[in-house]
């Protein structure tokens, strides 16, 4: 009788252990597959639909990542040194799913969820489907429809930031906010090229601390809310037309995009769509000129570490020594009129309130709505 009782107790213990392990396994699966990366996250956006956030902040950082957990760590560490000067901030980390749509990179998810940001709240979002770099860029921030005052900064995980990047960005946003032709502000100042030739683009030191350029810089990009909203609306409308192509003739980016199309990887170049949109609406990006103006290479607001991925191969580089580490109020001594450079790397000329680019050959093959030009 005692032996039978012991067996029954053991069976009960084994049964409870099996049920408990099964419960924990299922919880981990739900936890990993949950859209927001955690059961305590109230944001529930879906893939391929621009995500609107319920909270209002002064500054929101969008981090885009996939499976480079080590690179993500480097970026997050640099964000912990970011000076936000008492502003209300939020950090959104978006992790894309694998191409088969089944699961995410566990190390990347763990890295994101374990990060404790000194400056504010962190939310981790896992895409509900594989969206690629195009979907990550276009749909992870939707400006408020009633006019957003929020400053957003979109970062891929292969970047590192200067501690003073937000201070400069905020000042630039405030200074240029009355200009309707500014599509956004970039932190990028390295590896700039002339869009029409691919040659190195060299802004002048006499341009001051900032200038405008027809080509966007995606290495740390802060879109202007109203233009980003219009771009999203346009993109989600025109993408339904399989015959439409975002070609801008005369640009090396156009050549790259067509090459990618032949290689069936044009989905890795979201910038071509934005270049088309900005060209159609005569919009420009604000760049910092802190290196050229002060004749140095150590005033970068952001650097790209060239981590192996979609567009780089080989060993990553450590160029974080080029990041701006000491602040000077002269860095935000902006001037108007700011110089505007065209796709050919030359200053634009103005005539009767219209912009005329010398020897302009850069035309969209179709209008912004995807219809043939008259």
């Amino acid at each position: 009788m005692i032996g039978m009782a012991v067996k029954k107790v053991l069976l009960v213990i084994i049964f409870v252990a099996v049920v408990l392990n099964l419960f924990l396994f299922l919880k981990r699966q739900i936890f990993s597959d949950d859209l927001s990366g955690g059961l305590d996250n109230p944001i529930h956006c879906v893939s391929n639909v621009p995500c609107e956030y319920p909270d209002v902040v002064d500054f929101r950082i969008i981090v885009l990542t996939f499976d480079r957990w080590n690179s993500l760590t480097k970026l997050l560490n640099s964000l912990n040194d970011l000076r936000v000067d008492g502003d209300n901030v939020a950090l959104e980390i978006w992790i894309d799913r694998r191409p088969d749509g089944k699961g995410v990179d566990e190390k990347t998810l763990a890295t994101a969820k374990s990060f404790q940001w000194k400056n504010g709240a962190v939310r981790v979002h896992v895409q509900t489907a594989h969206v690629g770099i195009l979907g990550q860029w276009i749909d992870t921030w939707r400006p408020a429809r009633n006019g957003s005052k929020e400053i957003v900064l979109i970062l891929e995980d292969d970047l590192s930031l200067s501690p003073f990047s937000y201070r400069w960005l905020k000042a630039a946003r405030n200074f240029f906010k009355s200009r309707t032709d500014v599509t956004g502000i970039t932190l990028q100042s390295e590896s700039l090229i002339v869009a029409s030739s691919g040659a190195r683009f060299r802004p002048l030191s006499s341009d001051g601390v900032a200038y405008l350029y027809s080509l966007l810089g995606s290495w740390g990009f802060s879109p202007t809310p109203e233009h980003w909203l219009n771009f999203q609306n346009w993109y989600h409308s025109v993408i339904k037309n399989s015959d439409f192509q975002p070609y801008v003739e005369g640009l090396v980016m156009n050549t790259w995009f067509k090459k990618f199309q032949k290689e069936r990887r044009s989905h890795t170049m979201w910038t071509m769509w934005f270049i088309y949109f900005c060209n159609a609406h005569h919009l420009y990006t604000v760049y910092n000129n802190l290196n050229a103006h002060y004749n140095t290479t150590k005033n970068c607001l952001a650097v790209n570490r060239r981590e192996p991925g979609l567009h780089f191969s080989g060993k990553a580089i450590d160029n974080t020594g080029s990041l701006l580490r000491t602040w000077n109020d002269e860095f935000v001594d902006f001037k108007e009129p700011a110089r505007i450079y065209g796709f050919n790397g030359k200053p634009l000329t103005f005539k009767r309130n219209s912009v005329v680019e010398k020897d302009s050959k850069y035309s969209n093959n179709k209008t912004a709505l995807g219809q043939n030009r008259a």
Side-chain angles (χ1 to χ4, degrees), residues 292-306:
H293 187 60
Y294 291 96
N295 191 28
T296 183
T297 59
K298 305 294 185 180
N299 281 352
C300 294
L301 296 176
V303 294
N304 189 308
R305 292 176 265 101
R306 275 74 161 181

Side-chain angles (χ1 to χ4, degrees), residues 72-103:
L72 176 62
T73 299
K74 296 174 187 177
L75 169 59
L76 296 179
N77 287 340
S78 76
L79 294 183
N80 247 345
D81 295 330
L82 195 64
R83 309 287 180 86
V84 298
D85 300 328
D87 283 356
N88 184 22
V89 297
L91 174 60
E92 318 286 348
I93 304 175
W94 283 86
I95 305 174
D96 196 12
R97 286 183 178 271
R98 298 186 180 95
D100 61 8
K102 297 179 180 178

Side-chain angles (χ1 to χ4, degrees), residues 206-329:
S206 59
D207 291 339
V209 297
Y211 61 89
L212 279 65
Y213 188 19
S214 296
L215 184 68
L216 88 151
S218 61
W219 295 355
F221 184 61
S222 176
T224 302
E226 54 267 31
H227 290 313
W228 192 250
L229 187 69
N230 291 334
F231 167 66
Q232 287 177 327
N233 292 340
W234 168 80
Y235 172 79
H236 281 287
S237 173
V238 78
I239 197 65
K240 299 173 184 177
N241 180 1
S242 59
D243 294 328
F244 175 75
Q245 302 297 336
Y247 297 150
V248 182
E249 302 300 336
L251 303 188
V252 294
M253 297 79 194
N254 204 59
T255 303
W256 297 344
F257 187 76
K258 289 181 178 180
K259 179 176 181 292
F260 285 1
Q261 285 183 315
K262 291 180 180 179
E263 298 170 348
R264 298 183 181 277
R265 59 189 186 107
S266 59
H267 58 279
T268 67
M269 192 176 172
W270 79 272
T271 51
M272 196 68 238
W273 297 89
F274 196 63
I275 291 170
Y276 180 100
F277 178 83
C278 292
N279 187 52
H281 295 281
H282 307 292
L283 301 175
Y284 310 99
T285 296
V286 175
Y287 283 74
N288 78 83
N289 198 36
L290 300 181
N291 277 335
H293 187 60
Y294 291 96
N295 191 28
T296 183
T297 59
K298 305 294 185 180
N299 281 352
C300 294
L301 296 176
V303 294
N304 189 308
R305 292 176 265 101
R306 275 74 161 181
E307 301 280 352
L310 288 175
H311 300 128
F312 291 106
S313 59
K315 187 177 180 180
I317 62 175
D318 183 5
N319 52 358
T320 55
S322 297
L323 290 170
L324 178 68
R325 297 292 181 184
T326 304
W327 181 256
N328 188 323
D329 286 343

Side-chain angles (χ1 to χ4, degrees), residues 344 346 357-362:
N344 61 4
K346 298 178 182 179
E357 183 171 348
K358 294 181 179 178
D359 301 322
S360 178
K361 299 178 182 178
Y362 321 112

